[in-house]
Amino acid sequence: TTLALEGEDGPLASLTLCGVKSDHACGWYVATQDSVLHVSAAGRVRTVATCEGGDFSGVALSPDGGALFVADFWNHKIRRVEVATGA
């Protein structure tokens, strides 16, 4: 099944997807080359985090769902992003 979702900056199909992880509320975290988006179960899309000068290559969710761990390929780092604040 393909979802035709409209994001804050246009269709999600135009993005370079680097990783996808489901959350505990039937939503999805989608890592693109330079941002992490959250797609709710209702289909709403919001930006959770961005990375200027980086290159996201994967995403994981903590067991309690409170934090995301994003692989930043070019900077050789694993970034932690708090889901509630995006920080």
Side-chain angles (χ1 to χ4, degrees):
T1 302
T2 302
L3 299 176
L5 298 172
E6 214 29 63
E8 295 168 341
D9 298 317
L12 292 182
S14 66
L15 301 173
T16 302
L17 300 181
C18 301
V20 177
K21 183 67 179 168
S22 63
D23 67 12
H24 301 295
C26 299
W28 297 91
Y29 289 97
V30 179
T32 68
Q33 189 171 2
D34 61 359
S35 64
V36 176
L37 307 172
H38 182 261
V39 182
S40 73
R44 287 185 290 278
V45 180
R46 68 179 174 91
T47 301
V48 176
T50 60
C51 179
E52 288 186 32
D55 186 5
F56 290 155
S57 60
V59 63
L61 188 63
S62 65
D64 67 359
L68 290 168
F69 297 93
V70 184
D72 182 348
F73 180 78
W74 289 112
N75 292 310
H76 308 284
K77 295 182 179 184
I78 302 292
R79 301 188 181 275
R80 179 186 174 113
V81 178
E82 297 299 320
V83 170
T85 64

